[in-house]
């Protein structure tokens, strides 16, 4: 039996004089899948990421926070240990998250409207929803339990 291509079956593989042979990995890369929508999966992850809405405080809570702030201002030379819960806005989308920052209070900057901690963390006063004062032993216990978070800087 002879077929129409029998004369070509035993010919040597053609080799170019100008171009070197392509490696197997380079040849395989030609047929590899590619990302037609680069960045699409990252956009989906960002869209799915949840944020919290900012809580609007009523006047009684604002007055209580002002009183705590004034009491801390009177004792600022003692550098009291505080836990401040505040709203940290999200940089990419609406909303944000609530963060509890703990540490020794260094000063309250009323011009910039921020609390400044000894570790140089700043907390915007307008975003604070609670301020609690603790002793050093309470802080250690809170940190061991994992109840305290540092904000993203």
């Amino acid at each position: 039996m002879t077929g129409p291509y029998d004369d070509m079956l035993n010919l040597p593989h053609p080799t170019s004089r100008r171009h070197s042979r392509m490696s197997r990995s380079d040849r395989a890369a030609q047929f590899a899948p590619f990302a037609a929508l680069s960045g699409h999966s990252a956009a989906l992850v960002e869209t799915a990421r949840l944020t919290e809405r900012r809580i609007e405080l009523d006047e009684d809570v604002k007055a209580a926070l002002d009183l705590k702030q004034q009491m801390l201002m009177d004792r600022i030379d003692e550098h009291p240990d505080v836990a401040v819960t505040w709203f940290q806005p999200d940089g990419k989308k609406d909303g944000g998250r609530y963060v509890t920052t703990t540490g020794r209070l260094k000063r309250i900057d009323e011009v910039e409207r921020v609390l400044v901690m000894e570790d140089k963390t700043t907390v915007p006063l307008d975003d604070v929803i609670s301020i609690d004062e603790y002793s050093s032993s309470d802080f250690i216990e809170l940190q061991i339990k994992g109840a305290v978070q540092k904000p993203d800087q």
Side-chain angles (χ1 to χ4, degrees):
M1 240 192 219
T2 60
Y5 301 106
D6 286 343
D7 59 333
M8 290 190 255
L9 286 177
N10 295 323
L11 289 176
H13 188 279
T15 304
S16 171
R17 291 183 185 145
R18 282 191 240 157
H19 305 290
S20 61
R21 245 179 135 168
M22 186 181 287
S23 70
R24 286 182 184 239
S25 63
D26 288 343
R27 185 161 171 75
Q30 290 180 339
F31 303 101
F34 68 98
L37 300 173
S38 61
H40 182 67
S41 61
L44 288 176
V45 168
E46 178 60 28
T47 303
R49 188 172 54 86
L50 298 177
T51 58
E52 296 179 60
R53 289 186 178 175
R54 181 189 298 259
I55 297 170
E56 292 299 324
L57 302 177
D58 63 14
E59 294 303 316
D60 293 336
V61 175
K62 287 180 182 179
L65 282 173
D66 287 343
L67 181 63
K68 285 183 184 180
Q69 176 186 337
Q70 192 58 45
M71 290 170 53
L72 288 171
M73 194 72 149
D74 294 340
R75 297 184 43 237
I76 201 69
D77 293 337
E78 299 172 21
H79 299 286
D81 292 323
V82 294
V84 182
T85 302
W86 58 288
F87 183 77
Q88 184 179 46
D90 193 293
K92 296 183 180 181
K93 59 197 287 189
D94 288 340
R97 66 185 186 127
Y98 282 93
V99 178
T100 301
T101 301
T102 60
R104 296 196 131 196
L105 185 62
K106 183 176 181 179
R107 65 186 170 93
I108 299 174
D109 188 335
E110 293 188 63
V111 174
E112 295 290 324
R113 300 227 6 101
V114 294
L115 298 172
V116 180
M117 310 301 270
E118 281 190 348
D119 66 357
K120 298 183 182 170
T121 301
T122 58
V123 178
L125 281 171
D126 296 331
D127 296 333
V128 172
I129 63 165
S130 76
I131 302 173
D132 297 308
E133 191 172 353
Y134 291 100
S135 67
S136 295
S137 61
D138 292 337
F139 264 142
I140 294 168
E141 188 176 323
L142 282 173
Q143 289 173 340
I144 290 171
K145 290 180 181 177
V148 178
Q149 306 173 28
K150 282 286 186 184
D152 296 334
Q153 295 290 330

